[in-house]
Amino acid sequence: MTDIKSMTGEELEAALREMGLPRYRADQLFHWMHVSLARDYEEMRNLPAAMKEMLRRTCEYRTVRMEDRQISAADGTQKFLFALPDGNLVESVFMRYHFGNSVCISSQVGCRMGCRFCASTLNGWERNLTPSEMLEQVYEIRRVTGEKVSHVVVMGTGEPLDNYDALVRFIRLISDPKGMALSQRNITVSTCGIVPCIRELAREKLQITLALSLHAATDRQRREIMPVAGQYSIAETMEAMRFYYETTGRQVTFEYTLIRGVNDASADVEGLAGLALPVRAHVNLIPVNPVRERGYAQTEAGAVQAFKNKLEKSGVNVTIRREMGRDIDGACGQLRRRHILS
Ligand code: SAH
């Protein structure tokens, strides 16, 4: 069955034309799905019953169902566990910032990238999410909280560039002026660094922010914590990031998870500065979120600050990511994992 919420406005129009329906019906349907956030065809009051019947028979209307919700007492961060139509579970997070509300979504069920410090990859990869399932994480959070969402980060479970076509379609749909109309400048995609896909993404003419999970400044160190580093060298990855920056004009971000005794020495600061400066990347330092199965420890707060100061002195634009929702299974994949194991 056709996954109707993953279709663009033009595709919808063509599909309805086939059914003998006029263009304005496609506009109404698109509006119901992406602006009114209807939960099903029933709700679409101004559509004729015969049209809804035809849609029910031919087009699947994907939604997600909330299975669990945790609200942080510390900072109001909310973590959601959603069931997909086939019963698979994914996590999404709602966060309040001074610049607006941000939702972090998952792009796959599980992940096959195998980063050593990450909980999302412990059970491997199950399947890709459809564009509609990525949209629905944002839509359902809007329905449930009643809050506006101005920013979306694709930083939940999964490697977005390993689900490339669905990701690009998701970005076009959520930023569609006739839909939720989220500014592409407020969308961040985080990747572990699949080089050919970074280059392809650069050519899509999107205005999104690309964040690279760098986490180490030498190939040897990076290969120890990220299997993808065995496939693409840091040099190749930097070339792709430069291409992205030069083609789109968008500043890129490097994420650097600080792990005690692994990547937090003085030599690492120099290496990181040497990589960030030539492509004028913004560096986001993240104290590693300890995952029980992984055994990595956080760099102490003082040492994190010192690492940041040294980077700044070298001229790098750097921030420390504020930790949110530590009291609610904040780290990637932890809520889902607890449910799968219980
Ligand atoms: N696959 C993508 C996006 C999902 S992970 C990527 O690799 O970028 C989102 C970010 O969280 C990545 O930077 C990832 O390296 C980081 N991350 C994963 N587990 C973490 C942990 N335990 N502590 C801190 N950051 C973590």
Side-chain angles (χ1 to χ4, degrees):
M1 274 224 280
T2 311
D3 170 15
I4 199 161
K5 212 175 284 174
S6 293
M7 291 168 90
T8 63
E10 292 87 71
E11 287 168 348
L12 204 56
E13 208 184 303
L16 292 200
R17 202 181 310 124
E18 294 259 299
M19 298 179 187
L21 292 162
R23 185 199 157 135
Y24 75 94
R25 291 298 186 200
D27 288 340
Q28 286 177 317
L29 180 54
F30 195 84
H31 195 272
W32 274 116
M33 291 193 287
H34 301 287
V35 180
S36 311
L37 310 183
R39 280 180 197 270
D40 50 38
Y41 295 125
E42 262 62 20
E43 276 184 37
M44 305 179 182
R45 289 184 311 276
N46 58 359
L47 299 186
M51 173 178 169
K52 285 192 269 196
E53 186 46 39
M54 183 133 65
L55 290 174
R56 257 191 300 273
R57 271 190 286 113
T58 54
C59 301
E60 184 189 5
Y61 196 85
R62 277 179 186 245
T63 49
V64 297
R65 200 182 60 247
M66 192 168 80
E67 288 284 313
D68 195 1
R69 176 188 191 182
Q70 298 184 344
I71 304 179
S72 163
D75 54 34
T77 296
Q78 303 189 28
K79 188 135 191 178
F80 295 87
L81 188 73
F82 290 129
L84 305 175
D86 65 357
N88 269 305
L89 301 172
V90 294
E91 284 181 29
S92 323
V93 189
F94 172 88
M95 289 159 289
R96 258 185 251 280
Y97 290 100
H98 62 274
F99 52 74
N101 296 329
S102 179
V103 167
C104 172
I105 65 159
S106 296
S107 56
Q108 297 180 315
V109 179
C111 184
R112 54 182 183 155
M113 295 297 127
C115 298
R116 307 260 188 269
F117 45 82
C118 181
S120 291
T121 204
L122 287 166
N123 282 28
W125 176 88
E126 185 70 32
R127 72 167 172 87
N128 283 334
L129 295 196
T130 60
S132 56
E133 288 167 338
M134 295 167 78
L135 288 168
E136 267 295 314
Q137 296 171 61
V138 181
Y139 294 0
E140 186 62 11
I141 285 177
R142 283 208 36 193
R143 293 184 194 111
V144 168
T145 63
E147 301 262 7
K148 289 214 172 89
V149 173
S150 57
H151 290 67
V152 167
V153 296
V154 189
M155 283 193 190
T157 296
E159 168 49 45
L161 298 190
D162 190 35
N163 185 12
Y164 186 87
D165 292 340
L167 172 78
V168 171
R169 193 172 265 268
F170 161 77
I171 294 166
R172 295 226 157 92
L173 280 168
I174 201 158
S175 60
D176 191 318
K178 288 184 173 172
M180 193 172 268
L182 200 90
S183 165
Q184 285 186 0
R185 291 175 169 265
N186 294 355
I187 300 174
T188 300
V189 169
S190 175
T191 178
C192 64
I194 303 181
V195 166
C197 298
I198 293 175
R199 291 180 171 275
E200 204 178 333
L201 192 64
R203 298 193 192 93
E204 301 279 356
K205 300 229 172 337
L206 300 170
Q207 281 297 298
I208 59 166
T209 299
L210 185 63
L212 171 73
S213 297
L214 185 58
H215 303 327
T218 66
D219 285 319
R220 186 186 53 76
Q221 280 169 298
R222 196 161 187 260
R223 278 195 299 261
E224 268 172 36
I225 49 176
M226 300 178 73
V228 72
Q231 219 169 333
Y232 306 106
S233 69
I234 290 181
E236 282 174 276
T237 311
M238 290 303 120
E239 265 175 51
M241 292 306 282
R242 172 187 290 281
F243 180 71
Y244 188 89
Y245 164 60
E246 285 173 354
T247 310
T248 62
R250 301 283 297 155
Q251 186 184 29
V252 296
T253 300
F254 290 170
E255 292 160 277
Y256 195 94
T257 295
L258 283 163
I259 311 173
R260 194 189 301 176
V262 173
N263 61 2
D264 59 355
S266 303
D268 298 314
V269 179
E270 285 155 36
L272 179 53
L275 296 174
L277 287 171
V279 291
R280 312 201 336 168
H282 172 91
V283 172
N284 202 203
L285 298 175
I286 315 161
V288 74
N289 218 325
V291 175
R292 193 161 23 87
E293 293 82 350
R294 297 311 204 185
Y296 287 119
Q298 287 188 343
T299 302
E300 301 141 39
V304 172
Q305 195 58 47
F307 196 95
K308 173 180 185 254
N309 293 346
K310 274 189 237 158
L311 269 179
E312 250 165 8
K313 274 218 188 83
S314 328
V316 178
N317 178 332
V318 53
T319 46
I320 300 176
R321 185 174 299 169
R322 191 153 61 90
E323 269 189 275
M324 294 172 93
R326 263 299 280 282
D327 51 332
I328 56 164
D329 291 322
C332 318
Q334 289 191 346
L335 178 61
R336 171 168 175 265
R337 185 159 175 75
R338 189 161 59 71
H339 275 256
I340 294 175
L341 295 179
S342 65

